[in-house]
């Protein structure tokens, strides 16, 4: 009988625990990712110089990542190529990991993601989101070969960065609903395995009662973000984790740069899409989860007026040509959008 199966490209190692960063040196050696010790580390702006000593990897070449731009990523990529390193570890938040993933891909070397915040699902994904002169772009890159999440460092991340990824991962429910809608309306093929991973990840966070910043909650959130990234790798696109919710996030980013983080806006976009879809159960579940974690639910929570938010909704489909979601299905006029936005804000429970 033929053995019919598909092979999945998955990280060699997933290490989520307090103090995980100290195991980085052993991880690189044990898994033969870097056998000669020619390792580079790329540090985000929030990381002190002393971190290199905590890593226990001899004397790595240290690079600083100052921002999340395509220019920074290309510069780092050239430096990694010039130094002929065996591997690079990106240590920091979402932007640092995105920059390092792109640079590693450019240099053709393996990348280890060491997350110090849980702001979005890029920690294990094959996508790098970078700023450029005309806004922000998503670039397909190789997935990290290992993912390390140090819960001690996540817990001490500033402000909402520790947990904004809650918004990004629960947005999978909206993304999957959009994918199913597209299958029904346009015949787009669904990947059931990618859906299973993306939806299970979202449900785990939605139903997780643990206190914010407790090890129990942060572990579930980190694992859900990793699964979400792998769902994208399985699907070969961001489809399982990005629907109308992310179109809204991209539109707000383009029209009103600097409004809020990726995860915060993805959660808000998902809640609005659930409202448009008239899925009362999903709307209530998302609203309660975002509210519980202090994440934005109303445009006013991110400092946008209702007309500003309505403008972003109108612009959203143009941010991702070819992706069919509830926004493309309804194709609302400006007047209808304004009315729906007002009704939406009234529908958010206190
Ligand atoms: Zn996202």
């Amino acid at each position: 009988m033929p053995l019919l199966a598909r092979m999945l490209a998955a990280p060699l190692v997933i290490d989520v625990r307090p103090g995980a960063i100290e195991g980085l040196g052993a991880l690189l050696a044990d898994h033969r990712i870097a056998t000669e010790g020619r390792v580079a580390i790329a540090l985000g702006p929030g990381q002190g110089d002393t971190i290199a000593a905590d890593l226990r990897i001899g004397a790595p070449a240290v690079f600083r990542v100052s921002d999340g731009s395509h220019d920074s990523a290309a510069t780092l990529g050239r430096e990694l190529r010039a130094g002929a390193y065996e591997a690079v570890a990106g240590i920091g938040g979402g932007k640092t990991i995105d920059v390092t993933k792109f640079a590693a891909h450019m240099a053709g070397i393996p990348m280890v993601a060491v997350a110090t915040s849980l702001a979005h699902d890029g920690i294990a994904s094959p996508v790098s989101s970078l700023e450029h002169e005309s806004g922000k772009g998503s670039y397909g890159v190789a997935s990290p070969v290992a993912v390390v999440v140090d819960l001690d460092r996540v817990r001490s991340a500033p402000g909402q960065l520790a947990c904004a990824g809650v918004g990004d991962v629960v947005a999978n429910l909206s993304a999957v609903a959009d994918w199913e809608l597209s299958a029904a309306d346009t015949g787009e093929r669904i990947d059931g395995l990618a859906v299973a991973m993306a939806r299970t990840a979202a449900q785990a966070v939605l139903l997780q009662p643990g206190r914010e910043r407790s090890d129990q909650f942060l572990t579930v959130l980190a694992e859900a973000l990793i699964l979400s990234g792998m769902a994208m790798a399985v699907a070969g696109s961001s489809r399982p984790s990005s629907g109308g919710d992310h179109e809204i996030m991209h539109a707000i980013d383009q029209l009103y740069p600097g409004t809020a983080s990726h995860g915060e806006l993805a959660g808000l976009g998902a809640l609005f899409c659930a409202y448009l879809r008239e899925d009362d159960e999903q709307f209530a579940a998302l609203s309660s989860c975002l509210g519980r974690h202090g994440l934005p639910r109303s445009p006013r929570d991110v400092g946008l007026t209702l007309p500003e938010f309505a403008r972003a909704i109108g612009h959203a489909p143009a941010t991702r040509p070819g992706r069919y979601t509830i926004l493309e299905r309804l194709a609302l006029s400006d007047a209808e959008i304004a009315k729906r936005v007002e009704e939406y804000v009234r529908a958010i429970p206190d």
Side-chain angles (χ1 to χ4, degrees):
M1 192 179 83
L3 185 62
L4 296 174
R6 62 169 144 170
M7 304 300 287
L8 299 182
L12 293 169
V13 185
I14 304 276
D15 190 8
V16 178
R17 63 186 162 91
I21 205 165
E22 288 160 21
L24 186 61
L27 183 160
L28 292 169
D30 293 353
H31 294 273
R32 307 190 66 75
I33 298 168
T35 50
E36 292 171 25
R38 291 189 56 79
V39 177
I41 59 172
L43 295 181
Q47 311 303 321
D49 290 326
T50 54
I51 201 168
D54 294 341
L55 303 176
R56 301 180 188 169
I57 43 176
V62 179
F63 297 93
R64 281 275 166 193
V65 176
S66 55
D67 57 27
S69 69
H70 184 273
D71 284 348
S72 291
T75 303
L76 179 60
R78 277 191 292 273
E79 286 167 337
L80 294 179
R81 257 193 323 229
Y85 300 101
E86 293 176 275
V88 58
I91 304 172
K95 283 182 183 173
T96 303
I97 288 174
D98 276 353
V99 162
T100 313
K101 263 197 288 191
F102 184 93
H105 187 84
M106 194 177 144
I109 58 173
M111 183 271 183
V112 176
V114 183
T116 58
S117 70
L118 295 173
H120 67 63
D121 62 19
I123 52 180
S125 78
V127 181
S128 175
S129 170
L130 299 170
E131 295 149 21
H132 52 66
E133 64 288 348
S134 308
K136 229 175 201 177
S138 297
Y139 303 87
V141 294
S143 292
V145 296
V147 180
V148 175
V149 180
D150 189 326
L151 298 183
D152 288 335
R153 289 176 193 264
V154 170
R155 217 185 340 270
S156 54
Q160 276 293 359
L161 279 182
C163 297
V166 168
D168 206 18
V169 75
V170 297
N172 288 1
L173 295 180
S174 167
V176 166
D178 278 338
W179 202 356
E180 290 169 342
L181 186 70
S182 179
D185 287 5
T186 74
E188 183 181 346
R189 197 180 67 82
I190 286 189
D191 186 322
L193 178 60
V195 165
M197 294 165 83
R199 185 154 37 207
T200 304
Q203 292 289 359
V205 169
L206 208 61
L207 301 175
Q208 166 55 238
R211 275 182 305 108
E212 196 164 327
R213 302 204 181 209
S214 65
D215 278 358
Q216 184 190 2
F217 177 75
L218 293 177
T219 301
V220 170
L221 177 57
E223 290 174 346
L225 291 169
I226 291 165
L227 267 183
S228 208
M230 287 185 59
M232 289 188 259
V234 164
S237 82
S238 60
R239 196 42 149 147
S241 304
S242 163
D245 35 85
H246 276 59
E247 290 185 341
I248 294 171
M249 183 268 294
H250 289 308
I252 295 175
D253 259 352
Q254 285 177 14
L255 296 175
Y256 319 108
T259 295
S261 70
H262 179 112
E264 290 171 302
L265 294 178
L268 170 61
L271 188 61
F272 183 72
C273 286
Y275 176 77
L276 285 184
R277 233 179 263 115
E278 300 180 18
D279 184 339
D280 296 341
E281 207 174 308
Q282 189 180 96
F283 182 80
L286 286 174
S287 173
S288 129
C289 175
L290 296 176
R292 188 163 71 241
H293 292 289
L295 291 166
R297 293 181 296 165
S298 161
R300 296 185 186 115
D301 296 340
V302 293
L304 293 181
T305 63
L306 302 194
E308 282 170 340
F309 186 68
R311 192 171 154 235
I313 302 301
H315 177 56
T319 63
R320 192 76 205 225
R323 183 150 293 180
Y324 185 88
T325 76
I326 186 68
L327 300 174
E328 286 77 5
R329 147 74 86 82
L330 297 176
L332 299 171
S333 68
D334 288 348
E336 286 167 326
I337 291 174
K339 184 166 158 278
R340 293 290 187 100
V341 166
E342 286 190 12
E343 289 167 356
Y344 161 71
V345 171
R346 278 200 296 274
I348 301 171
D350 289 334

